[in-house]
Amino acid sequence: MTSQSAPRTARDFARIELTRAILEAARRHLAEVGPGELSVRSIARDLGMASSAVYRYFPSRDHLITALLVQCYDESAALVEAADAAVRPDRLRQRWIAMTLALRAWALDNQHEYALLYGSPVPGYAAPQDTVGPATRVPQALLQLMADAEEAGTVLGAPTAPLSRKERAALAPISASVGRPISDERVLRSLTGWALLIGGLSLELFGHLNRGVLDYDLNFRCLVEQAADDFGL
Amino acid sequence: MTSQSAPRTARDFARIELTRAILEAARRHLAEVGPGELSVRSIARDLGMASSAVYRYFPSRDHLITALLVQCYDESAALVEAADAAVRPDRLRQRWIAMTLALRAWALDNQHEYALLYGSPVPGYAAPQDTVGPATRVPQALLQLMADAEEAGTVLGAPTAPLSRKERAALAPISASVGRPISDERVLRSLTGWALLIGGLSLELFGHLNRGVLDYDLNFRCLVEQAADDFGL
DNA sequence: CAGAAACGAGAGCACCGCTCTTGTTTCTGT
DNA sequence: ACAGAAACAAGAGCGGTGCTCTCGTTTCTG
């Protein structure tokens, strides 16, 4: 780890402070240039230090990106969770709408960050273990919504052919992560919802709707409303 | 344009041949390194020419990427269309399954190419007009399927609240592109289907299902089967 | 057959991630 | 208190990138 517990000495304090400053500058750059062109050198210039000094705090550009990844996952997930919590728990449909709109709002405000999280992986980059926790917060929130829907006894929209044993087995780790009983059909529904959400946002933000859809806000709203219908919310 | 009609002279011939060779080498590299690290220099090395010579044929790296973009859009769309055509036209559900499986198969075989098409845009890159035609072939195929479903008189799965006038207006360019009558609800369904398809593939290929889903093949199949149910196919 | 156009190759510019060395500052054990 | 160890900032440097410019050669065209 980079910082051990408390800043005992002045040096410790300076270290965590500079680490924060570097990350902050990186994030500031990310607002303008996109993940692929994030440059350690320009960040260092921005902070008035030699580029080699940055490597005292982040051993490589990838480590810096990992830190940004975690920060952005957490930031967006916090917004989604907050939007969820702001709605009465039994208003299931409204919660779904609120969560999806929250993620879209964040994505629109932080397009390069969205690309970092859900776009193509950065060049030679393989996400380390640190990111998986934060990365699962949003899909977990969707899962919890579905579990609530199951407890409330809502019926799924369209009739679905029952899943085979093998199909159920493939979803086992997810079902187990919910922490309470949930049918495999609902687990699958949350996956669908997640895929639809990310797909819709990616198509919009990566420019695939350019010629075609005129009103992006309205289009996204239609998408999630229709999904709510399908999910029986 | 790069080549005007016929290769009249030996030089013309050499030019289109070399252009093709460069593109081919670029594509070969793309199978291994990912769009962001495609390097003009390494492609030139691969062909045994000076990097500056490549710029006689593609004025910039972005132009080269554009050519790859078009090629990949066309290649994947051709597979999707072929899969569609291989099924009896009135087997709507089977056509949907075939098309989605075809795109997934291509994406799995060409992961970097998929990232190029549907991942985050390449750094400073803005897709020019040339790419929009090929890019719309897949969503167009989905739209045509939905139009066929409408003609066949299938009913949509879950009940949907009717779209508002503004919502219908936002979809107008797409409806018009179908070339025959289609309800706005079905247009919206194709958008949902497209978003779900791209979202599902992106989540899978960009590593978001790593811990969770055990069997990717099965999971994707479940996704599209369930979507077929929702779409009333 | 001369002039023009296209060509390939090389040097060079400014940038990148990253490493190594050097000299300085700060902490720590005795 | 002080010496040794550890952390630090800065600079030079390596090999890579996209791209430009120049220069000598080849090919086409009027």
Side-chain angles (χ1 to χ4, degrees), chain B residues 8-11 38-41 45 51-52 55 60-61:
Chain B
R8 300 192 319 95
T9 73
R11 181 167 273 177
L38 253 197
S39 126
V40 177
R41 288 177 115 111
R45 270 195 303 271
S51 68
S52 56
Y55 287 86
S60 79
R61 180 175 172 274

Side-chain angles (χ1 to χ4, degrees), chain A residues 127 132, chain B residues 203-204 206-214 216:
Chain A
V132 316
Chain B
L203 288 182
E204 173 179 343
F206 298 160
H208 293 270
L209 302 180
N210 263 352
R211 264 148 297 270
V213 175
L214 295 180
Y216 288 1

Side-chain angles (χ1 to χ4, degrees), chain A residues 149-171:
Chain A
E150 181 143 310
E151 277 182 8
T154 68
V155 276
L156 290 169
T160 310
L163 296 172
S164 74
R165 182 185 309 247
K166 274 166 65 182
E167 288 164 344
R168 293 180 190 282
L171 299 174

Side-chain angles (χ1 to χ4, degrees), chain A residues 75-130:
Chain A
E75 181 180 304
S76 59
L79 286 177
V80 169
E81 289 164 3
D84 186 27
V87 180
R88 247 181 55 192
D90 59 322
R91 308 296 295 268
L92 298 169
R93 185 189 186 96
Q94 214 175 319
R95 284 172 60 195
W96 160 256
I97 306 284
M99 286 195 281
T100 52
L101 288 185
L103 187 63
R104 178 168 182 265
W106 179 84
L108 286 177
D109 285 344
N110 304 273
Q111 305 213 11
H112 294 143
E113 287 87 339
Y114 176 86
L116 176 63
L117 300 190
Y118 297 105
S120 19
V122 177
Y125 181 77
Q129 210 69 8
D130 320 23

Side-chain angles (χ1 to χ4, degrees), chain A:
Chain A
M1 289 290 98
T2 337
S3 65
Q4 45 244 32
S5 59
R8 300 194 316 96
T9 73
R11 180 166 273 176
D12 286 355
F13 182 80
R15 164 165 272 274
I16 67 176
E17 180 59 22
L18 241 181
T19 305
R20 200 197 48 75
I22 292 172
L23 207 62
E24 190 179 288
R27 180 65 190 274
R28 217 165 37 234
H29 284 212
L30 193 53
E32 300 188 336
V33 293
E37 3 187 41
L38 252 196
S39 125
V40 176
R41 288 177 116 110
S42 82
I43 292 170
R45 270 195 303 270
D46 194 356
L47 294 172
M49 56 166 70
S51 68
S52 56
V54 175
Y55 287 86
R56 297 254 175 218
Y57 301 87
F58 294 93
S60 80
R61 180 174 172 275
D62 281 359
H63 285 78
L64 184 52
I65 286 179
T66 299
L68 283 173
L69 219 37
V70 171
Q71 175 180 320
C72 290
Y73 271 128
D74 276 328
E75 181 180 304
S76 59
L79 286 177
V80 169
E81 289 164 3
D84 186 27
V87 180
R88 247 181 55 192
D90 59 322
R91 308 296 295 268
L92 298 169
R93 185 189 186 96
Q94 214 175 319
R95 284 172 60 195
W96 160 256
I97 306 284
M99 286 195 281
T100 52
L101 288 185
L103 187 63
R104 178 168 182 265
W106 179 84
L108 286 177
D109 285 344
N110 304 273
Q111 305 213 11
H112 294 143
E113 287 87 339
Y114 176 86
L116 176 63
L117 300 190
Y118 297 105
S120 19
V122 177
Y125 181 77
Q129 210 69 8
D130 320 23
T131 65
V132 316
T136 51
R137 283 175 64 183
V138 165
Q140 264 299 325
L142 298 183
L143 267 172
Q144 292 299 330
L145 173 68
M146 289 296 171
D148 286 348
E150 181 143 310
E151 277 182 8
T154 68
V155 276
L156 290 169
T160 310
L163 296 172
S164 74
R165 182 185 309 247
K166 274 166 65 182
E167 288 164 344
R168 293 180 190 282
L171 299 174
I174 306 186
S175 310
S177 74
V178 182
R180 50 189 170 139
I182 185 173
S183 70
D184 295 307
E185 281 75 12
R186 299 245 190 220
V187 171
L188 188 57
R189 286 287 177 175
S190 353
L191 272 178
T192 319
W194 191 31
L196 179 74
L197 176 57
I198 300 304
L201 288 177
S202 293
L203 288 182
E204 173 178 343
L205 292 172
F206 298 161
H208 293 271
L209 268 31
N210 263 351
R211 264 148 298 270
V213 174
L214 295 179
D215 187 327
Y216 287 1
D217 292 0
L218 225 48
N219 173 66
F220 185 81
R221 180 123 206 151
C222 286
L223 244 58
V224 297
E225 291 276 2
Q226 192 203 58
D229 290 334
D230 290 341
F231 298 168
L233 295 178

Side-chain angles (χ1 to χ4, degrees), chain B residues 14-64:
Chain B
R15 163 164 273 274
I16 68 176
E17 180 59 23
L18 241 182
T19 306
R20 199 198 48 74
I22 292 172
L23 208 62
E24 189 180 289
R27 180 64 190 274
R28 217 165 37 235
H29 283 212
L30 194 52
E32 301 189 335
V33 293
E37 4 187 40
L38 253 197
S39 126
V40 177
R41 288 177 115 111
S42 82
I43 292 170
R45 270 195 303 271
D46 194 357
L47 294 172
M49 57 167 73
S51 68
S52 56
V54 175
Y55 287 86
R56 298 258 178 217
Y57 300 87
F58 294 92
S60 79
R61 180 175 172 274
D62 280 0
H63 284 78
L64 184 53

